[in-house]
Amino acid sequence: MAFDGTHVYCGNATNNMYRLDPVTRATLATIPLPTTPNVQTRFMTFDPTADGGNGGFWVGNWTSGNLHYYLVSKTGTLLRTINNTAITGTYGIAFDNWSTGGPFLWVFSQGSGVQNPQLLHQINVASGLATGVTRSVKPDLGLAATDSSIAGGLFITDQLAPGKVVLGGVMQSSPDRLFGYELVVLSTPPLNAFNLTAPAAGVTITTYPKSSTPVTISWDTSTAVATYKWIFGSPTVPPRLITIPSSTKSLTLTLGQLDSILALNGIPQGSSVVGQWDVWAFRNNPPANDSLKSTNGPRAITLTRGVPALTSFNLVSPATGTTIVTSRFNMTSANFNWRKSGEGVTYRWKFGSPTIGTVIFNYPSANSGYDTVYSIVNASLDALLATRGLNPGDSINGQWAVWAYNATDSLKSVQTFNVTLKRQGIGEFLIVYDTTAANGRVSRDSIMTVLNNMGISYDLQNKGTVTTGPVFTMRGYKKVIWLGAGTSTMTVAQRDSVKAFLNAGGTTSATKSKIIIFSEDIGYQHGRTGSANIDLDLVNNYLGFNYVTDRPGGTGNHGLIGMAINNGLADSTIGTWPDVLVQFGSGTEALYRFRRHTAPDSINGVGKIGTTFAVATLGVDAHSLRRAVDSPAGGPVDRILREAIKYVDQSVVLVRDIGVSRSHYGVRKKIKT
């Protein structure tokens, strides 16, 4: 973060810089930075001398190969580069315009990392070269050289210790430590008499919410190192109702900022507060209480919170007659847009059915009601429709309009648009996959192709990785295809959801909950002793297997042979770590085995038929399946998925006794219904 005297600027280690209002805390602008070179904002400091006195920011990252320091303008234009290859791990930076011989940049370096020196380096801005002045911070904090504390942010200020410029920062530690070095001792000139200059006495300032119109309050200079406080009181000053510090001989606020300040002080729209304003000057050095009031203050002033004018405004989109289809899996935004009414008015979006006269949804627009758009995530709108009793596939016809408000009145949009809100029907299958993994998307596409060819409807849900991912419900579905992508399998919450889904099924074939899993690490992640994600309840009691090892002997492609499904048919997987499994408990079957292995603990696919569920688990990722040299015609994903669907859809509970014969591993079976 950095401060230019008016706004706060910040970065988040991306190619963007953000300008914020320090009073309202609103983000005023997103400022893109160059991508060539790759200018990022992991650290930043304000340079008031940059860009012809307009000011700019020194920013950068500590990415290997890009250790340089970049100067950018307030609009993101690259102004200058200081090339650096010697100072590694820069985490903090501060611009020093006080020290003799400067200006300088001070940078706080993590060096070679933890248990190594954490150094401050001084760089001459004019030459772009390190001056050789360094400081090892750990010893000054009483930390051993081998301590694991590491460099953090850096700042410089003349407002922390009276009469001193302080170079300060944070050492990331346990606990974190703030530190400050005396950099410069300031001169101590006396405070001189000074006068208020603008605005004139008796002026009325009318404020409006969110207005960007600036108001500047100014006065003469007391002394070069003085700081000031603008104060306002009513009916006189003192007492002080508002105090705002300033480091210069003026204070600029927008009418919107001033309106927020008045609102925080309990002044309603349309009301005025009559009072006085004045300025006090302060010395930044001992004695700390040395201050001086303006000679010609205070001045009378009236601050009025204006009532925004309501003017006619039009709806824009979606156009009348539009149908919006919602889905609990759709994370895009549904946006309703309209034109602007008066300056500083607020808005509420409303939906009524069958007409706008019967309002059932009523929400403020974005930006606390000030923006001319109401935005809602499609899935959230779907949830709202569900609260109104709409089932998947149902729709509701109605109208939407917008009302603008000031403190005393309201105004409806000129138009009222017809709209149909329709909940998307639930597909026969839910495909759960990892959108963050390229192979996860390939698996998804392969499964979609098969279901499309079969004429089966489906919905899609991104599950994320094994450690991070959304919590979602499978309620309403009877069949789920769960796709792994390498180590990406199921989060803890998702495993609980899977169990709840399987338990919620009925006891007949038509009503059982059914899951087909393609995941080469389902056993490694959740059945392996020592795994942080082990869940034996899931793999034993629901999926019906025990984990044996991460892959069969040998490397390269692994041949597969169908057993309870695609019996005797050959296929293959190029997966790096296809799971080796063994059946666990009753109601289980070996669906696939590894081709070169015939022992009972060389299974790659297990099925389990439970009281309320049917599961087929294949220890391979769908994208990794390939035809073998002697495979039958057709693709392996198509062949295996079709048979897996038949397996979980079977009308009787099959209990296989694999022990009757080991000839070609379980060709003979006892079948009990």
Side-chain angles (χ1 to χ4, degrees):
M1 298 171 65
F3 184 57
D4 71 349
T6 302
H7 297 111
V8 172
Y9 291 75
C10 63
N12 59 348
T14 67
N15 295 103
N16 285 325
M17 185 167 62
Y18 303 90
R19 186 170 73 246
L20 286 76
D21 186 323
V23 177
T24 66
R25 305 179 188 179
T27 301
L28 302 178
T30 299
I31 304 165
L33 302 181
T35 55
T36 305
N38 187 19
V39 180
Q40 296 188 348
T41 52
R42 187 175 293 274
F43 52 81
M44 64 189 305
T45 185
F46 180 60
D47 178 350
T49 68
D51 196 18
N54 291 316
F57 299 89
W58 289 96
V59 302
N61 202 346
W62 45 247
T63 304
S64 177
N66 185 10
L67 305 176
H68 312 309
Y69 306 114
Y70 298 103
L71 179 62
V72 297
S73 71
K74 290 184 176 181
T75 58
T77 302
L78 180 62
L79 303 175
R80 186 182 166 199
T81 301
I82 292 181
N83 293 313
N84 166 53
T85 57
I87 302 174
T88 59
T90 298
Y91 216 87
I93 188 170
F95 180 78
D96 174 10
N97 204 26
W98 285 273
S99 297
T100 302
F104 299 107
L105 289 177
W106 290 92
V107 298
F108 197 12
S109 165
Q110 295 181 348
S112 299
V114 296
Q115 299 184 339
N116 286 282
Q118 305 298 297
L119 299 174
L120 294 169
H121 297 269
Q122 186 190 61
I123 299 173
N124 186 291
V125 172
S127 66
L129 301 175
T131 65
V133 176
T134 64
R135 184 76 177 188
S136 181
V137 179
K138 278 187 183 179
D140 295 332
L141 298 178
L143 300 172
T146 56
D147 182 86
S148 295
S149 301
I150 199 165
L154 203 63
F155 66 90
I156 192 168
T157 181
D158 61 354
Q159 299 181 43
L160 183 62
K164 303 179 188 298
V165 176
V166 175
L167 177 65
V170 60
M171 180 73 79
Q172 300 181 75
S173 188
S174 183
D176 294 332
R177 290 169 169 84
L178 292 173
F179 61 84
Y181 290 97
E182 177 186 302
L183 197 62
V184 176
V185 177
L186 298 170
S187 60
T188 57
L191 293 171
N192 300 315
F194 67 100
N195 290 312
L196 308 180
T197 56
V203 165
T204 295
I205 297 177
T206 302
T207 68
Y208 292 98
K210 302 298 180 180
S211 172
S212 59
T213 302
V215 176
T216 299
I217 303 166
S218 60
W219 51 90
D220 294 334
T221 300
S222 176
T223 188
V225 296
T227 60
Y228 305 91
K229 288 183 179 178
W230 177 81
I231 59 176
F232 170 82
S234 176
T236 61
V237 57
R240 302 180 181 185
L241 296 182
I242 303 172
T243 301
I244 302 177
S246 176
S247 59
T248 64
K249 62 176 184 177
S250 67
L251 175 67
T252 298
L253 298 170
T254 66
L255 292 179
Q257 290 174 319
L258 195 52
D259 189 80
S260 296
I261 294 171
L262 294 176
L264 289 173
N265 280 275
I267 310 302
Q269 276 189 356
S271 296
S272 299
V273 56
V274 178
Q276 296 178 329
W277 68 277
D278 210 339
V279 173
W280 286 75
F282 296 84
R283 269 202 323 199
N284 289 331
N285 37 45
N289 60 351
D290 189 13
S291 60
L292 182 67
K293 191 184 83 66
S294 69
T295 302
N296 62 343
R299 282 187 174 178
I301 192 171
T302 299
L303 301 179
T304 299
R305 288 197 68 199
V307 177
L310 296 174
T311 57
S312 297
F313 64 102
N314 297 316
L315 301 182
V316 176
S317 64
T320 190
T322 298
T323 296
I324 298 176
V325 179
T326 68
S327 167
R328 57 178 162 173
F329 304 114
N330 187 345
M331 293 299 121
T332 62
S333 292
N335 297 318
F336 296 82
N337 300 273
W338 55 90
R339 300 299 182 192
K340 188 176 182 179
S341 183
E343 181 76 22
V345 304
T346 58
Y347 305 92
R348 295 190 73 90
W349 171 86
K350 300 181 183 183
F351 170 82
S353 179
T355 68
I356 198 65
T358 306
V359 174
I360 59 176
F361 297 145
N362 181 347
Y363 295 102
S365 67
N367 191 20
S368 301
Y370 288 98
D371 277 359
T372 56
V373 59
Y374 172 67
S375 181
I376 183 171
V377 174
N378 185 286
S380 298
L381 182 56
D382 186 78
L384 284 177
L385 294 176
T387 65
R388 305 299 301 186
L390 270 72
N391 294 314
D394 291 347
S395 60
I396 182 171
N397 297 318
Q399 296 178 322
W400 73 275
V402 175
W403 272 256
Y405 296 86
N406 60 22
T408 60
D409 202 359
S410 62
L411 180 67
K412 180 187 165 296
S413 57
V414 173
Q415 298 87 4
T416 299
F417 281 174
N418 297 321
V419 65
T420 298
L421 304 179
K422 177 180 175 62
R423 295 193 68 197
Q424 179 176 298
I426 288 182
E428 184 177 345
F429 277 85
L430 175 64
I431 302 174
V432 182
Y433 71 104
D434 181 3
T435 187
T436 66
N439 285 333
R441 298 190 294 273
V442 173
S443 293
R444 173 205 62 191
D445 293 346
S446 298
I447 297 297
M448 289 168 56
T449 297
V450 175
L451 295 182
N452 287 336
N453 291 338
M454 296 176 69
I456 294 176
S457 62
Y458 54 83
D459 296 319
L460 300 172
Q461 170 65 51
N462 169 34
K463 68 175 179 60
T465 66
V466 71
T467 55
T468 60
V471 178
F472 54 89
T473 178
M474 293 170 279
R475 185 180 304 159
Y477 291 92
K478 285 301 176 185
K479 299 177 185 178
V480 175
I481 299 175
W482 196 285
L483 302 178
T487 60
S488 174
T489 51
M490 301 180 188
T491 66
V492 174
Q494 290 167 6
R495 296 199 297 273
D496 291 341
S497 294
V498 167
K499 295 174 192 177
F501 169 72
L502 295 177
N503 286 330
T507 57
T508 67
S509 175
T511 60
K512 288 179 185 288
S513 295
K514 302 163 185 177
I515 286 186
I516 299 169
I517 298 174
F518 290 87
S519 177
E520 72 173 24
D521 262 354
I522 190 71
Y524 180 82
Q525 289 287 349
H526 308 304
R528 175 176 57 90
T529 300
S531 170
N533 304 296
I534 189 169
D535 189 339
L536 293 181
D537 181 45
L538 172 72
V539 299
N540 291 166
N541 300 326
Y542 291 90
L543 307 187
F545 70 80
N546 257 332
Y547 170 76
V548 178
T549 187
D550 209 12
R551 66 178 179 187
T555 59
N557 294 3
H558 301 280
L560 301 172
I561 289 290
M563 298 182 68
I565 63 175
N566 291 317
N567 190 16
L569 299 184
D571 276 303
S572 180
T573 174
I574 63 169
T576 309
W577 309 106
D579 276 343
V580 181
L581 311 173
V582 64
Q583 291 167 254
F584 178 89
S586 61
T588 62
E589 282 195 285
L591 304 182
Y592 263 83
R593 67 173 175 85
F594 288 102
R595 187 168 189 169
R596 293 194 294 267
H597 307 269
T598 59
D601 59 354
S602 293
I603 299 169
N604 181 246
V606 173
K608 180 175 175 67
I609 306 297
T611 304
T612 60
F613 61 83
V615 179
T617 302
L618 287 305
V620 291
D621 290 344
H623 76 86
S624 74
L625 290 168
R626 297 291 186 273
R627 296 182 69 247
V629 293
D630 54 347
S631 291
V637 176
D638 184 288
R639 178 165 39 254
I640 294 174
L641 179 58
R642 286 176 183 266
E643 291 302 305
I645 292 173
K646 291 179 183 178
Y647 176 82
V648 297
D649 276 346
Q650 61 187 294
S651 60
V652 295
V653 178
L654 303 178
V655 181
R656 265 63 170 195
D657 183 355
I658 303 300
V660 171
S661 172
R662 298 292 184 198
S663 175
H664 205 64
Y665 195 62
V667 172
R668 295 178 58 197
K669 314 179 188 107
K670 286 181 182 178
I671 301 179
K672 301 177 183 179
T673 64

